[in-house]
Amino acid sequence: MKKALVVMVLLSLVLSGVFAEGTSEKAPANEKLVVGFAQIGQESGWRGAETTSITFYAAQNLDTIQLHFADAQQKQENQIKAVRSFIQMGVDVIGLAPVVETGWETVLKEAKEAEIPVIFVDRMAKVPEDLYATFIGSDFIDEGQKAAKEMIRLLNGKGKVVMLEGTVGASAAIDRQKGFLDAIAAAPGITVIARQSGDFTRSKGKEVMESFLKSYPEIDGAYADNDDMMLGAIEAMKEAGKKPGTQIKTVSVDGVKGIFEAMVAGEANVTVECNPLLGPQFFQAAADLKAGKTVPKWIKSNEDVYRQETAAADLPTRLY
């Protein structure tokens, strides 16, 4: 249902001319804010919510915004191609959610030479600071630290933990893991017995957890870099005869509705919020950059930690 809703929203935007993938048409100079956005893909409910936030905001502001949107389908080469297309169009600002941290300098230098500012959205890249204008998003290290503290609380400082990691090379995965491992070290009674990438997807999360359960008969806790992987892991636990949320404590990151539903069902314990509704902040920063204003190098989003105990009350308020 959620995926169908996103598809319907995006289709309506295509038909209304809000964004056009692979077109070189542009509004007359200074008439509209013309933005190109290179999205990673749709690997999770969180990613779909971010896409909807950005495209819906543009749809609500047709008189002032023209959005060119590209879905890279989880491939860096597709994102690079999209950025080059935006440069050729002569957009005012480029938005980029980089699928991995490295390999961006060449194309971002091209954007700089074309005097087009670049905004990183929800993920960072390892490039010199002069190649991007600002980063809009979360403190991933802090998210990992919060997750570790919750795991320590759930396990009373003792137990064996497995980690379902995000896409190899992605800044969100790298930083969340660093935060988690640094903070979990405060509990010497907790041992991380296995780590493996689930590529931020539910299906891969299930596969990884199935493998963990076969190799390690005793698992007390599972941490995942995002909720979708944890939802897949919960399926694997149940199929293996385990009781997620009780026998195996769970902590993950994002705050999607699915994990709140799992908490209400007693099958998940904690989610650390990572806010995907960045459309308003993204377009405000883009407008400021076009106007020649200075923007902060890091525009942070407000986030919280949600637990099983309050999930039933929290669920109706979730927007993604």
Side-chain angles (χ1 to χ4, degrees), residues 33-37 86 90-95 116-119 282 285-287 289-290:
L33 171 64
V34 183
V35 175
F37 187 81
F86 298 150
V91 301
D92 296 313
V93 178
I94 292 172
I116 300 174
V118 172
I119 298 174
F282 171 66
L289 288 168
K290 181 178 180 180

Side-chain angles (χ1 to χ4, degrees), residues 132-141 295-301:
Y132 71 97
T134 186
F135 164 64
I136 301 175
S138 307
D139 186 334
F140 299 135
I141 290 179
V295 300
K297 207 64 178 179
W298 186 354
I299 300 172
K300 294 186 180 183
S301 46

